[in-house]
Each structure stands twice: as structure tokens, then as C-alpha cells.
Amino acid sequence: MVASVALLLSAPAVAGCAPEAEVPVAKAASFVSAATPSPSPTARKPVLVPKGVTAGYVVFDRELRKVTVYRNVHKRFRSASVVKLLIAIDHLEDVAKPDLALLQPMLRVSDDNAATALWRRGGQGKIILRMAKRIGLTDTSPPPADKPGFWGYTAISALDIAKVYRYILEKADPKVRTTILTQLRKADQCGSDGFDQYFGIPRAVPKPWAIKQGWSGYGSVPPSKCVRARTSSADVDFTNPVLHTTGVLGNRYILVLLTTQTTPWHDATKKITKLTKDIYRAAVP
């Protein structure tokens, strides 16, 4: 990291980022120094958030070493399965012999039972406290005190998850990085619960990518069984369904999109995929 450049991903606060308001990238003075000007907002296509969707997103360009597209970066969402990234890092870094039999399905097919086992071993919410301190997460916090076992109720923000991906890519031990990214690159179309997890990035962005999705609030049984393609806290909403798509695009871009949705699964997945496509087009020249 160049010391003279004030990157968004290391900033403690976002100036002028009002709820549900897209801040022009050119105004991101608190994130990028004058020596590294952001592209003119007219040079990028607008991103329209669909009706009924609350979104927070970040695209970090690792080549330019700055954020290029963002919205509501500090807005906190319940994590759903995206928190499995933190569970994985914590386990891999703090255990001498990692349990790959649990880590692999947790990351590749988002297996909840595997996550619960590792969550308990790591001390539940203590995992989040350790990771927040280690990575420098400012918006992330453990589940509510009355729901200590609900790892999916961890509070996260788009900015913090982008920091998590940067940590994996740039600071984590190579063995930790390889273990996590190998599984994220091999993410199966069908989650272990039968939900199709190829929404957002997988259907909106060309390969290669490495993804960790999240979904919650759509019931325990998917409206239609996933069929694999032949070719291939107080400010956190704990009520409405959430649908998240996050990942590394190629080796250059980090894209994090967190959403709260008010429509059924099929409509919600279409909306997040369309939104992801718009964000990608806005971010990539």
C-alpha cells in the first residue's frame, strides 16, 4: 500500500455518503488523495437500484488501488453466509491443523452445519471480535447477545467485506489465501441446502471469479430445487430477506454487493443479478 494514498478501504468513515444516495466517485476526497484523482462520474454508467431493494456496494480496483464505484458502504446488513469468510480465516490462522472436511463444504457449497461446527469451536462471537481487530473492520459486530449461535446474524458492511477480501489477497499467509480462494473459485452452483447460489456475480460477470454468496429469509426449502448446469444489531434489519453477492473478479477487482429484498426468491435473484451487471459495467472500463 502506498503511504501517500488515502484509500477508502482503510478510511474509518465515509464522508457525504447518505443512506440510499450514490456519491459521485469524483467527490471521494476522503478516500483517494489529490495525487490519485478518481474518474469523472460522467465517464461511468449510472447504477440504478431496483425498487424494493436496499443496497450497499463497493468495487475496489486492485490495479489502480482505489475504489471506483460505491454506495452506502457503511450500511450494516445481517451477514447470512458471507460471514463464513471470517470463520474460515479465523480457523485457518488460529488452528495448527485446520479441519478441511468442514472448511471446504462451508466455502464451496455454503454448508451451514459445517459453519455451525467451526463457529462453536472458535468461540462464536469471539471469532468476529478477533477478526474485526485483526483486519480493521469498523462496521462488523457479533450477533445479538440473545442469539449467540446465529452466525448469520453477524453485522457486516460492503466496505468491511471488501477489506476482508483485500486481507485474504494481500496480507493473509499464502496457505490461508490458497485454501480459501481455491474453494471460492470452485463454488458449486447448488448450495448444500438446495438453493441455486449462482445469482449476482456468477450470472452477471464473466469468469474467472471467486465468490462467497449469502442468502437468508427465503425459507429452508428453495421454491425450486437447484439443478446444476450441464456446462459448468439495532441498525441491522433482521426481518426482511437478505441476498448478497461478493467476490474477486479475475485477480484485479473486488466486488461486494449486500442487499435487503422485499420480493420472492426468483424476482430477488433477478434484481441482484441485474444490479451486479450494472455495477460491473460501471466499474470496468
Side-chain angles (χ1 to χ4, degrees):
M1 182 182 296
V2 180
S4 62
V5 178
L7 293 172
L8 183 153
L9 292 185
S10 61
V14 172
C17 194
E20 291 308 293
E22 176 125 31
V23 180
V25 176
K27 292 184 179 180
S30 61
F31 317 140
V32 183
S33 72
T36 311
S38 298
S40 166
T42 59
R44 297 187 179 279
K45 298 179 181 179
V47 176
L48 301 178
V49 177
K51 184 177 181 180
V53 176
T54 300
Y57 54 78
V58 166
V59 178
F60 181 76
D61 186 327
R62 297 183 64 228
E63 183 174 299
L64 298 180
R65 302 195 70 74
K66 64 184 179 182
V67 166
T68 55
V69 179
Y70 63 95
R71 179 190 184 95
N72 289 343
V73 296
H74 282 298
K75 181 170 179 57
R76 304 200 320 151
F77 296 80
R78 77 179 186 273
S79 67
S81 290
V82 175
V83 74
K84 292 169 183 174
L85 291 171
L86 294 176
I87 297 173
I89 297 171
D90 183 77
H91 183 71
L92 285 165
E93 292 188 337
D94 292 353
V95 176
K97 294 183 179 180
D99 192 336
L100 297 180
L102 292 176
L103 277 170
Q104 291 176 353
M106 181 182 75
L107 294 174
R108 189 182 296 194
V109 294
S110 205
D111 189 87
D112 291 346
N113 291 330
T116 297
L118 293 176
W119 178 254
R120 291 172 178 169
R121 289 186 195 179
Q124 299 183 326
K126 293 179 181 179
I127 293 173
I128 306 306
L129 297 177
R130 287 194 294 268
M131 288 295 95
K133 182 178 180 180
R134 188 173 306 173
I135 301 175
L137 308 178
T138 57
D139 306 315
T140 299
S141 60
D146 62 339
K147 290 180 169 50
F150 286 52
W151 43 260
Y153 276 29
T154 297
I156 60 172
S157 69
L159 179 60
D160 274 0
I161 297 305
K163 288 181 181 179
V164 171
Y165 278 110
R166 285 203 68 191
Y167 180 85
I168 293 170
L169 290 164
E170 300 170 11
K171 294 184 178 181
D173 183 276
K175 291 183 179 179
V176 174
R177 179 182 309 122
T178 299
T179 298
I180 293 176
L181 291 179
T182 296
Q183 300 309 313
L184 299 187
R185 290 187 180 113
K186 295 180 179 179
D188 198 301
Q189 180 178 345
C190 300
S192 63
D193 59 1
F195 278 84
D196 186 333
Q197 63 172 348
Y198 272 15
F199 52 82
I201 291 173
R203 288 200 171 99
V205 178
K207 286 186 175 183
W209 35 249
I211 58 165
K212 185 68 208 78
Q213 311 285 67
W215 59 93
S216 174
Y218 294 96
S220 58
V221 179
S224 59
K225 187 176 180 180
C226 175
V227 178
R228 293 177 179 82
R230 294 182 179 178
T231 58
S232 355
S233 299
D235 59 334
V236 178
D237 185 345
F238 292 116
T239 303
N240 289 309
V242 295
L243 202 60
H244 309 324
T245 183
T246 77
V248 180
L249 316 183
N251 196 43
R252 177 171 176 178
Y253 299 97
I254 295 171
L255 190 155
V256 178
L257 170 57
L258 310 179
T259 74
T260 299
Q261 305 263 6
T262 60
T263 54
W265 174 263
H266 288 301
D267 187 43
T269 55
K270 288 181 180 179
K271 286 182 176 180
I272 195 172
T273 299
K274 173 62 166 58
L275 181 54
T276 304
K277 189 173 296 184
D278 287 349
I279 293 170
Y280 177 73
R281 288 173 176 172
V284 178

